[in-house]
Amino acid sequence: MGKFMTGKAVSESIQKQIIEKVTQFKQKNIFPKLTVVRCGNDGSDLAYEKGILKTMETCGIQVEIIKKEINISQTQFENTIKTLNADKNTHGILIFKPLPEQLCESKINNLITPEKDVDGSNTLNLGKVITDDQSGLFPCTPEAVMRLLNYYGISSRGKNVTLIGASIVVGKPLALMLINAGATVTICHKKTKDIKEMCQEADIVIAAAGAPRLIKANFIKKDSILVDVGINFVEGKMCGDIDEACYEKAGLITPVPGGVGGITTTILAENVVKACMLQN
Ligand code: NAD
């Protein structure tokens, strides 16, 4: 049976440093603040919001939630972002995605001032991932995976990593971060012919597809490292993209829940503090 890499210890070690920085800001009368924009009342948005409120409270970061109607127009949404860009008390802006379909997500991502883009979703910050420019605000979930590996002493240098999922928020930036760290990365997605074959030689398998229990025990090699980013609900129960049957064969595994998820909101808090530094 492999060993579990839980997210709690990783989050706590990062939060300690965040709290110190927030205290220093407060001594200078600067109060780090995150503003979240949410359209409608989607269940997964509300769950994410709950996690954000809890983490920000722990870190001493203020949060404001701006609620918008699901039928908001592009102009109205853009005006909200422009107001937040100009608001000196808001250091970080987070928009819940996916946005309602009448809105142009890429245009909105690029409207956010790069120094307030705590989700790392505009092209300037994504470009900084390519060049490994640490002045950027990096997307939270990919950064969470990198910090998890780092915390557990796993170097990606020279390792074969198979990554399942190539989205802009998770898979693609994570692939670049892994390459920057010296890994050889194979990226799989929905059109990949044989995921099993791609996983079999991997030292590290990272699943971020949103496909319940996609990775089976016969896909992985013995003692490999498995990182499960997936969050799925099957018959009301949360599960990841990695079948629990893999746990027996793997060396190290992240559980779902209790793995990467909690680290993501901690990285969001860290990005708010970094944004605050960039603006002061
Ligand atoms: P997405 O739908 O935007 O992208 C999914 C990617 O996986 C795509 O590249 C798609 O081609 C690929 N994919 C989907 N099904 C596949 C399959 N059967 N075989 C191979 N490839 C497949 O999703 P996303 O926003 O990148 O999120 C991916 C998963 O990670 C979801 O379960 C999501 O809930 C979870 N997530 C977790 C966190 C966290 O903090 N742990 C944060 C963000 C997303």
Side-chain angles (χ1 to χ4, degrees):
M1 179 77 180
K3 280 199 183 122
F4 280 117
M5 300 182 282
T6 55
K8 196 165 179 263
V10 187
S11 285
E12 281 173 357
S13 77
I14 302 169
Q15 285 175 8
K16 236 171 139 183
Q17 293 164 27
I18 297 172
I19 292 165
E20 269 174 37
K21 286 179 187 156
V22 169
T23 307
Q24 287 165 11
F25 272 124
K26 287 183 177 169
Q27 282 162 355
K28 294 180 199 157
N29 276 327
I30 298 166
F31 300 91
K33 181 180 165 187
L34 168 71
T35 301
V36 177
V37 186
R38 162 161 62 81
C39 297
N41 296 302
D42 176 76
S44 57
D45 283 354
L46 294 174
Y48 186 26
E49 189 175 294
K50 203 172 150 198
I52 289 173
L53 288 169
K54 192 167 166 238
T55 304
M56 298 304 150
E57 191 188 357
T58 305
C59 296
I61 295 170
Q62 296 178 7
V63 188
E64 184 185 355
I65 312 282
I66 297 182
K67 296 169 196 161
K68 294 289 176 192
E69 294 299 325
I70 204 92
N71 59 356
I72 185 171
S73 71
Q74 179 77 18
T75 308
Q76 286 169 324
F77 202 97
E78 286 185 11
N79 286 339
T80 303
I81 301 301
K82 284 176 191 163
T83 305
L84 294 175
N85 280 343
D87 173 16
K88 290 216 162 16
N89 294 322
T90 285
H91 303 97
I93 302 169
L94 175 74
I95 299 166
F96 279 163
K97 315 240 178 75
L99 284 167
E101 55 186 24
Q102 75 277 13
L103 301 178
C104 176
E105 197 166 296
S106 61
K107 197 170 173 210
I108 288 164
N109 285 343
N110 284 320
L111 190 64
I112 301 174
T113 300
E115 289 79 16
K116 293 192 178 190
D117 173 34
V118 287
D119 207 18
S121 56
N122 75 33
T123 40
L124 189 93
N125 281 317
L126 286 170
K128 288 187 178 185
V129 176
I130 298 180
T131 54
D132 200 14
D133 177 346
Q134 296 295 322
S135 73
L137 291 164
F138 291 170
C140 301
T141 306
E143 181 67 17
V145 172
M146 296 307 290
R147 301 290 278 278
L148 172 118
L149 294 175
N150 188 44
Y151 181 88
Y152 285 99
I154 300 160
S155 167
S156 339
R157 185 182 294 260
K159 299 252 169 57
N160 291 335
V161 181
T162 293
L163 175 56
I164 302 103
S167 71
I168 292 180
V169 269
V170 189
K172 282 182 192 164
L174 179 54
L176 292 165
M177 288 176 183
L178 288 160
I179 292 168
N180 290 338
T184 301
V185 184
T186 302
I187 309 165
C188 305
H189 46 75
K190 255 188 179 155
K191 299 203 170 66
T192 302
K193 274 191 203 148
D194 191 345
I195 292 177
K196 181 180 170 190
E197 191 191 343
M198 302 298 160
C199 291
Q200 272 170 340
E201 290 306 310
D203 304 304
I204 304 175
V205 173
I206 305 176
R213 302 187 172 107
L214 174 72
I215 307 303
K216 306 291 180 201
N218 63 344
F219 286 24
I220 59 163
K221 71 175 182 186
K222 199 172 176 326
D223 296 329
S224 53
I225 296 164
L226 308 180
V227 178
D228 198 345
V229 180
I231 300 173
N232 312 291
F233 289 88
V234 176
E235 291 164 1
K237 230 184 129 206
M238 194 193 278
C239 72
D241 291 352
I242 295 177
D243 195 329
E244 291 84 345
C246 297
Y247 294 2
E248 201 61 47
K249 198 172 172 188
L252 291 164
I253 328 122
T254 61
V256 176
V260 179
I263 312 173
T264 297
T265 49
T266 296
I267 300 296
L268 179 65
E270 191 179 58
N271 275 353
V272 175
V273 170
K274 191 170 178 185
C276 204
M277 280 176 186
L278 294 170
Q279 289 158 60
N280 289 280

